[in-house]
Amino acid sequence: MKQAFITGITGQDGHYLSQLLLDKDYTVHGTIRRSSSINTERIDPLISKYQDSGQLNLYYSDLLDSSSLNLLIKKIQPDEVYNLAAQSHVAVSFKNPVFTTQTGTLGPLSLLEAIRSADNKIKYYQASSSEMYGGGKPSKLNENSLLDPKSPYAAAKVFAHHMTNIYRDSYSLFCSNGILFNHESPHRGETFVTRKITRAAGRIKLGLQKKLTLGNLEASRDWGFAGDYVEAMWMMLQHDTPDDWVIATGETYTVKEFLEKTFKKLDLSWEDYVETSHKYMRPNEVDYLLGDPTKAKKILGWEPKTSFSSLVDMMLESDLNLAKREQVLLSEGLIEPTWEHPKI
Ligand code: NAP
Ligand code: GDD
């Protein structure tokens, strides 16, 4: 039975990756952060199913607590480490630049050091990001494209990306960077734009919400499905050699196109509900992201399985169901109406 260690297991990708690895009979070890309210909602069904048998194990840790990471790596001696933890919201990284940078740089470095001193056969996956490119030119981006970060989040990811390469070259560690373009799902955080749109559309359709306030509608993103992308992470660590890999769909759509598609599926016109506000504009914007996943397709045999339209359908169906449950609670007087969600 292989042992996998996942940081950020409570996040969107943590949910899909742990499900994938548990299905493959891995024993999964994940780190969670202490918070004042319970933050394991996404993985609660997995906890119920796999914790008692010892196939899923959770530990309190934080990427800034190198001592706990070090102890856990030494104790567990995992076959594979997936570093998914990060303050992953680009707009928030401008508000909390120090925390975002510390987490995004010292975290991966602490893990690489822990692996180096524990066992150099441990394979390491670093969650690199298409944000590192900066999106200044409307061109297809691959593993050799220039990195030109535009936010504290992206700059921290560039540091970690280079460190992963440095540890690979200097110590012969198996360290791979997955340069993933945007990937979404019904488990996406509600303040990322796709989920903000599908959540609002579902609520608007059921009369629970009146308007949706967004920022830049012209930005373009290469959006895929998170379930497909975690498969690529696993494939990278099964490959003979460590490397950098772009994971993307090869298609790009603007935020406005995502809006149009979503509202049209509900027979609604987005213009009737959407406002824009400076509040959601960023000090520096990544205008255009389009990935070229040719290398991963040719060498790993990875392909995205979910189309843009199916992704919107999947998120919308889940958010309509969520809105229906909200409607029941509202009709029973158990919650108060909120005419816009989220307000942050
Ligand atoms: P996410 O949903 O925001 O999850 C982030 C995870 O990191 C959560 O489990 C969070 O814990 C944890 N975390 C945050 N700060 C931490 C710290 N200081 N110590 C330990 N854990 C911490 O992100 P995601 O979408 O799953 O993305 C996974 C990774 O891929 C991230 O590194 C992200 O930057 C990167 N990435 C994402 C995309 C994308 O489109 N989704 C694309 C490229 C790269 P809490 O639950 O307690 O907050
Ligand atoms: N979040 C958000 N909220 N974004 C908005 C809004 C809004 O109200 N209105 C417009 N946008 C625009 C943003 O300005 C950005 O251009 C685009 O929508 C996508 O924003 P996000 O969904 O927040 O994602 P992101 O592209 O900034 O970052 C995500 O993808 C990266 C990979 O490229 C995150 O998951 C990062 O962690 C990831 O690395």
Side-chain angles (χ1 to χ4, degrees):
M1 222 183 213
K2 276 192 179 176
Q3 312 276 326
F5 182 78
I6 305 177
T7 69
I9 196 169
T10 56
Q12 170 189 255
D13 291 4
H15 159 84
Y16 284 102
L17 180 66
S18 43
Q19 178 73 72
L20 178 98
L21 296 176
L22 289 164
D23 286 346
K24 290 185 185 295
D25 283 338
Y26 276 66
T27 298
V28 172
H29 304 267
T31 63
I32 58 171
R33 296 193 290 175
R34 193 269 159 185
S35 66
S36 63
S37 45
I38 291 174
N39 60 357
T40 54
E41 196 185 341
R42 288 188 180 99
I43 53 164
D44 280 344
L46 299 180
I47 296 175
S48 302
K49 196 165 166 198
Y50 295 102
Q51 197 177 38
D52 288 349
S53 66
Q55 206 188 330
L56 175 61
N57 306 278
L58 299 175
Y59 311 86
Y60 281 111
S61 183
D62 191 296
L63 277 193
L64 298 181
D65 192 303
S66 58
S67 120
S68 70
L69 293 172
N70 206 18
L71 283 173
L72 286 170
I73 296 288
K74 283 214 164 70
K75 183 176 141 193
I76 296 163
Q77 295 272 329
D79 298 284
E80 295 166 13
V81 171
Y82 296 88
N83 181 31
L84 306 184
Q87 189 305 93
S88 75
H89 203 286
V90 175
V92 173
S93 82
F94 287 101
K95 309 277 179 201
N96 294 175
V98 176
F99 174 72
T100 305
T101 304
Q102 285 174 337
T103 312
T105 58
L106 297 180
L109 184 53
S110 301
L111 278 168
L112 287 164
E113 273 296 289
I115 291 171
R116 184 166 79 90
S117 64
D119 174 1
N120 69 0
K121 288 195 183 61
I122 299 173
K123 295 180 175 178
Y124 177 79
Y125 173 85
Q126 171 58 24
S128 281
S129 164
S130 50
E131 278 291 309
M132 300 187 306
Y133 295 119
K137 283 199 197 114
S139 56
K140 271 204 163 183
L141 299 156
N142 65 25
E143 292 78 6
N144 302 318
S145 301
L146 182 76
L147 304 182
D148 183 17
K150 296 257 182 340
S151 63
Y153 167 81
K157 285 288 182 189
V158 170
F159 174 92
H161 184 83
H162 287 318
M163 269 307 175
T164 303
N165 286 330
I166 288 168
Y167 273 62
R168 184 197 300 162
D169 296 342
S170 310
Y171 306 118
S172 303
L173 297 186
F174 192 113
C175 308
S176 285
N177 283 305
I179 311 172
L180 272 53
F181 282 62
N182 296 51
H183 45 279
E184 320 295 309
S185 75
H187 290 281
R188 184 59 142 154
E190 293 186 34
T191 60
F192 294 96
V193 78
T194 56
R195 184 77 200 288
K196 189 170 165 182
I197 293 170
T198 57
R199 183 90 171 91
R203 296 185 89 243
I204 286 170
K205 182 71 182 172
L206 297 194
L208 299 171
Q209 181 158 336
K210 292 184 173 158
K211 65 169 184 165
L212 165 64
T213 311
L214 294 170
N216 177 15
L217 306 186
E218 304 307 325
S220 208
R221 290 291 184 275
D222 182 329
W223 276 300
F225 170 49
D228 295 346
Y229 285 39
V230 298
E231 219 172 330
M233 295 176 187
W234 176 76
M235 289 170 117
M236 287 173 213
L237 295 201
Q238 311 317 305
H239 189 59
D240 305 339
T241 46
D243 212 332
D244 298 338
W245 306 95
V246 161
I247 301 298
T249 68
E251 289 178 18
T252 189
Y253 297 89
T254 60
V255 173
K256 196 186 280 172
E257 284 169 322
F258 194 97
L259 262 176
E260 270 162 6
K261 187 98 177 160
T262 305
F263 277 72
K264 205 166 166 205
K265 283 179 188 282
L266 297 175
D267 293 321
L268 297 171
S269 173
W270 68 271
E271 289 95 335
D272 294 340
Y273 303 95
V274 175
E275 288 175 7
T276 56
S277 162
H278 225 75
K279 182 176 168 188
Y280 297 111
M281 304 286 182
R282 298 171 183 186
N284 204 355
E285 176 65 297
V286 170
D287 293 320
Y288 184 94
L289 289 176
L290 173 61
D292 174 6
T294 304
K295 179 175 163 185
K297 279 189 184 174
K298 273 198 186 150
I299 301 178
L300 295 179
W302 177 85
E303 288 220 54
K305 296 179 189 135
T306 312
S307 69
F308 179 67
S309 185
S310 313
L311 175 65
V312 176
D313 283 342
M314 183 197 306
M315 293 177 71
L316 205 45
E317 187 190 343
S318 167
D319 278 330
L320 268 170
N321 286 332
L322 193 53
K324 281 180 194 153
R325 292 201 290 278
E326 242 182 288
Q327 205 174 33
V328 172
L329 295 176
L330 200 59
S331 70
E332 290 172 355
L334 294 171
I335 55 170
E336 292 295 317
T338 44
W339 300 117
E340 191 172 8
H341 171 89
K343 287 283 275 180
I344 51 167

